[in-house]
Amino acid sequence: MAPSNPLANWEKVGDSFYRKIPVYDAIFDEDVELENYIVTGAPCGGVIALHRDESKPIRLRDTQTSRSSIDIYSCSGKQINRINWDQASIRGIGWSDKEELLVVAEDGTVRRYFGLDGDFTSFSLGNGAEEYGVRACQFWASGLVALLSNNQLIAVSKYDEPRPKLLAPCPEGEVSSWTVIPPAQTLSRSVEVLLAVDRTIYLIDSTEAEDKVLQDGPFKHVSMSPTGLYVALFTAEGKLWVVSNDFQSKISEYDTKSRVPPDTVNWCGDDAVILAWEDEIHLITTDGASSKYYYDDRVHVIPEFDGSRLLTNDSCEFLHKVHDVTEDIFRLGSSSPASVLLDSVDQLEKKSPKADENIQMIRSSLPAAVDSCIKAAAYEFDAYWQRRLLKAASFGKSALELYNSDEFVEMTEKLRVLSAVRDYQIGLPLSYEQYLRLSPEGLIERLISRHEYLLAIRVSDYLQIPADRIYVHWASQKVRVSSGDDEAVCKLIVQRLEGKPGISFEIIAQTAYDEGRSHLATQLLNHEPRAGKQVPLLLNMEEDELALDKAIESGDDDLVNYVLLHLKSKLPLASFFRMINTRPMASALIETAAQDDDIELLKDLYYQDDRPIDGSNALVSESLRETDPERKAEKLVLASRLLADSKDPTVVLQQKLINEASQLMKAQESLDKDLADRSEFLGLSLNETIYRLVRAGYGKRAHKIQSEFKMPEKTYWWLRLRALVAKRDWGELEEIGKNKKSPIGWEPFYNEVLGAGNTKLASVFVPKCTTLPVADRIEMWIKCGMIVKAGEEAQKAKDINTLELLRTKASGPAVTEIERMINQLKPRK
Amino acid sequence: MAPLGDADHCRDKARRDLLALLEGARGKKNLVVSQELAGPVSLFIKFSVLQEYGVDRVFLLENANIDSSQRNVVFLVRGEKAQHVRTVAQQIKRLQNNGNVEHEFSIFLTPRRTLVSNAVLEEAGIIGDVNIAEFPLHFLPLEQDILSLELDDAFGDLYLHKDPGCIFQSAKALMGLQQRHGYFPRIVGKGDNARRLADLLLRMRKEIDAEESSGLADPSARGLLPSADTESLIIIDRDVDFGTPLLTQLTYEGLIDEYVGIKNNQAEIDTSVVGQASGPQAQESSKSPQQAKPGLKRKIQLDASDQLFNQLRDANFAIVGDILNKVARRLETEYETRHSAKTTVELRDFVNKLPAYQLEHQSLRTHTNLAEEIMRLTRSETFRKILDVQQSNAAGIDPINQHETIEELIARDAPLKNVLRLLCLESCMAGGLRPKDLENFKRQVIQAYGHQHILTFWALEKMELLQPRSSATTMLLPTSGQTGTKTNYGYLRKSLRLVIEEVSEKEPEDISYVYSGFAPLSVRLVQCVLQKPYIISLIKGGTPAASVNNASTGSPGWLGFEDVVKSARGSTFSIVQKGDDKAVRARQTLSGNNATKTVYVYFLGGITFTEIAALRFVAAQEAPRRKIIICTTGIVSGDRMMDAAIEKKSFANAE
């Protein structure tokens, strides 16, 4: 085949060249009358949606079009799917960058079709869309804005968790055209809208509408360039303006001399605007230069960020600006190094020495020339010229001593993938830059949604990208279309996917379940290695017990809680308890959760489980929460009753203690009534109660309570001691000191009183501490400041050394006393 | 080798993640944090940085005082806590209803967005109005060698409620470490929950393997191999050794924790002790997002940034005074050099050092005052009595003799926690209390501290901290045979020499210095894995110190101690995680064999500062062959253990 002229279809517009590359031909059947359709294309060479334009007359005998539908074609004209539309009339069709079809109905219903198989989710715009009706919609890569008939704007900025939000109210007036500015190009980082109202344009964001104060409206078209730098405006006088994005300066103006405004105004890359009438296209660069193309029949423009696809019945073309590298090489009379390098390949084939001459000539810029050739190959659609340019690059780098060939190798890989998917049978006319933007993973996703599994697997192997999603999609599709019996399908799938890592059987099972084949779903689910993944589906399938077991198996408490929450609301209490009974983790989680928010459930649980102590404790805990004393008491009675008739010593003790609590509360209430104006005793512990009574001087009542509650003597004595010391009731303490015996000994008395600073009284207790060693008692005396007494103690023990020590500490008359004792002890000579 | 230590890595990652999330909510915003997260957040980010990222004011969730002063409101709570999420929902609804401001709400759930929180928000009907994001906060670095999940409730959840949530979180966090370094070549552990954690780790690895090469898995997780620079993971379940944390900690940091409480590396100390914040310290303490209350309490940062504290923290309190004196003298002499400075150069030198002096001086003053305050407490009669009881329990002397002391403490209204700790300690060490004694104490405690503690005792029993000695079998379970349901301290005391009489606090030769003569069982178990020759010679009564250094890495896991370890509670395991042999060998060759290997020691259910000190002591002996990184669910102490059980409400009328 003779090589096509690389300059074919080049058109000089102003200073730069544009070229129109024919990608596919014979797209649609003759009987598809494109002029009657609204055509929207997914970005990056994606599929095309055709929807009959309802404003156009319908031929009656055409049965197919009588029902509203959307047809989805690949760029090469292969019909992929037909979506029947049974909702209110369509007001907007658009694509997300993930090739999801968005259809907005007049009543604000939005359907998002994903995967091209007709599966969809839907949500409603709300915010008054239903009352006023949607007038039009504009889409960007990940969201949409709808314009209601009352000029309100509703924005949805993501589809997986759609959250329709009203933008700032728009001023009154006739909206003649509008466009969205994607969040990536706004300062606020959220979507904004340009709205042409009457003679001017408003910039509307979520909080305010800013008037750009223009005079030359109404503008029939507004369009923002892909990078957001420029805005194209089409005025009522038939002029196209390109202005900067702040509307401060006009970049260019072009007079179409047409009274009829074009059907569409789109950007072609960032440097040119395409105006399209029925069968005529004007390309206007930002410099104001223009070029015109004429067609035989209706032409549709599908904008891309780096150019435009032009679609007619016969052909699909890609119109874009010729890249500088390409221009440098192919422009007539070009003598750039890369061009020379390309030429030398020709010479080489002719075995002409000029090949080497060429190389010598450009030696200094050879590396750059090689780079240029590699780059230019990227922008070629024709395999011949790709090869040619790569050959030139290869020849050039062979003449270089050091050259990193990574880029070269990568480029060959990329071009190979690109040419595979550009094939008309696949129909993905990706340009090189679109491929970069789409990413290899995105490309595979697209192949999957076209059911091109084999190619997808080959590409992913070639590029070393995980292929599990392809397998899973394949299997899901298998489940959907196969009608064989469940065993066979399951076996087939498992066999084919065996040994492939990362396969999510859960997704396949979900598909099976959605198809109503729950037996198959269960079987498939058994092959899912991740227990946690199985749970939600099992719940859906009402395999409750299995779901609970799998959740527990996963060890994920959240998952278990989730299942339990689900089961609790679904099952009758008895069967719910039965289910958690045998699963300790489940019952532990239920118990913990119920302690906070569902004490009734807890009580039932304990009752069913025959756990009386737990049950009574739940009541005690409730009693503690009550504010009213009577209610508190009631709960305690209930708690105690639960424990009746048991012989288990633990239970008996528990019951006793609970009864004691009731008893104490009663006693305290009467104390409060008798002794205090307000609640003072209620809620104190028994010890505190007695302590306070003693301190307040109600010794008798304290004693009464002590005996009533059988408080140990020791404790009682301690309490009395501490309370009296706190009260500084020295008399009473002295009185107690007259007792012969104390259950806690006398040392505590000494210590506490001394600690309170009363040395005199403390000293009273020293002689009573008869069990202590002498040395301790001496120390005690000293602490009271009674050296003489200490001396006496030492003298009794015949301890001269200590006496000597004491003498040093003594002062005043004590000194002589001590000396006297020393002398007494000293052996008489 | 990883360029960053784990601690720095965790800190950086947490900071980056949070800031990225905050950037997501554009413009100025108010931040609402739950109480339990406020401290941890201050560990890795300063308030001033938050401000740079548009945070105007910080509110505590529990105060419920978030207002409409900013349009943007960001909540940060734990996704695992349905209760907190519910509170968030309420507050959002309140703001939605009464404000005329149209708010923009974001909820950051940490460490993950849970199904339950989704359900809660859905139930509240606001799931559509808020932005929900995950903030994967797992390990928080307390120090270079301590990674903590800082889960305050982990102890109670695990042992009282039997809620395994924190095991799952631990597993997630450890998976994070594995993804960074490769798989732990060996997982050694003790305890039933530890076993569960290990099983989860194995399961998660399987799941990651299954996800491998699918787009789902993190690319960094692909082709994970056993790590070449990690030696092993040792998991110790807290319930293997309940006894140790019940003892009063006797290291400096431990005592501060006992008496003041250290939370997220900070202690709130009475200003009467440490004086008012001043100068540079004031800025330090404003790190935390909450405003420090004026007067009364002052927050002190307790971490390695304070050099003096770093010197003191792990020392036995007995020698803290000495160290302080030495430092004081050194500072003074250094300060005196200003008089000897003759030339201007010398003088300038001195002036340059001045700020450092002042800082050190300030820290010296703080710690001297603090140490004095603690000294005052340790000299009190109650402290001595409590310590007596503890020491005799630890030493295995018949606990009956101590009952009178405990009764006296109750009658004298000693703090409830102290009393309960003593009772629990006895129960743990001796395999339960005699039923009659237990009944007696129950009555006395309940009468002394209130009848609400019926619930406290029940909780303690559930946690198996305080139990009746049901029969002889439970006490003297196995010296051999099946695994014990309770740790047999009686046997282990001898077979692992937990009690060492002659201990030098100044120049410690054994970890037992941290409790002045009692070696924490938990750390002894770690030594059984890491320092086998030392333990063997210790049991034989040789000269232990000498054998530490020629320890070899010889036998892995519990080898040699299987029988001994059986008398501690729970399952014992040692799992080898294998990988592709060739790849492993290749890696080993690449990294070389003499490199320092890291050992991760995971304390499930919490660790005390004393045990940290003991582990650091072990780490110092093992350096440079090994590096020990301590990981835990949180810092625990006897008091905090009791807190989990103690019923807080009383029968008094609610105000």
Side-chain angles (χ1 to χ4, degrees), chain A residues 163 466 502 553 556 558 660 685 722, chain B residues 112 128 203 210 213 411 448 451:
Chain A
R163 207 165 291 154
E553 199 184 310
D556 182 343
D558 174 45
E660 196 179 86
S685 72
R722 280 171 42 226
Chain B
R112 56 180 176 148
R203 162 176 271 284
S213 92
H451 280 75

Side-chain angles (χ1 to χ4, degrees), chain B residues 111-126:
Chain B
R112 56 180 176 148
R113 178 175 180 177
T114 55
L115 294 164
V116 173
S117 59
N118 277 356
V120 168
L121 294 176
E122 211 175 310
E123 205 179 304
I126 53 166

Side-chain angles (χ1 to χ4, degrees), chain B residues 62 215 310 422 511 646:
Chain B
E62 281 78 359
N310 213 20
L422 292 178
I511 57 166
I646 290 175

Side-chain angles (χ1 to χ4, degrees), chain A residues 163 466 468 501-502 530 553-559 585 588-589 592 597 614 617 623 660 683 685-687 718 722, chain B residues 80 86 112 114-116 128 130-131 163 168 200 203 210-211 213-214 408 411-412 447-448 450-451 455 458 652:
Chain A
R163 207 165 291 154
D468 55 297
R530 291 154 295 182
E553 199 184 310
S554 77
D556 182 343
D557 54 315
D558 174 45
L559 211 52
M585 175 172 173
L589 287 176
T592 315
D597 55 11
D614 278 313
N617 276 337
S623 160
E660 196 179 86
S685 72
L686 180 63
N687 285 17
W718 264 112
R722 280 171 42 226
Chain B
E80 317 268 345
R86 232 164 262 149
R112 56 180 176 148
T114 55
L115 294 164
V116 173
V130 293
N131 292 308
D163 174 351
F168 190 77
L200 262 182
R203 162 176 271 284
E211 274 175 27
S213 92
S214 80
E408 184 189 319
R412 294 175 72 177
Q447 290 190 341
H451 280 75
L455 300 179
W458 186 241

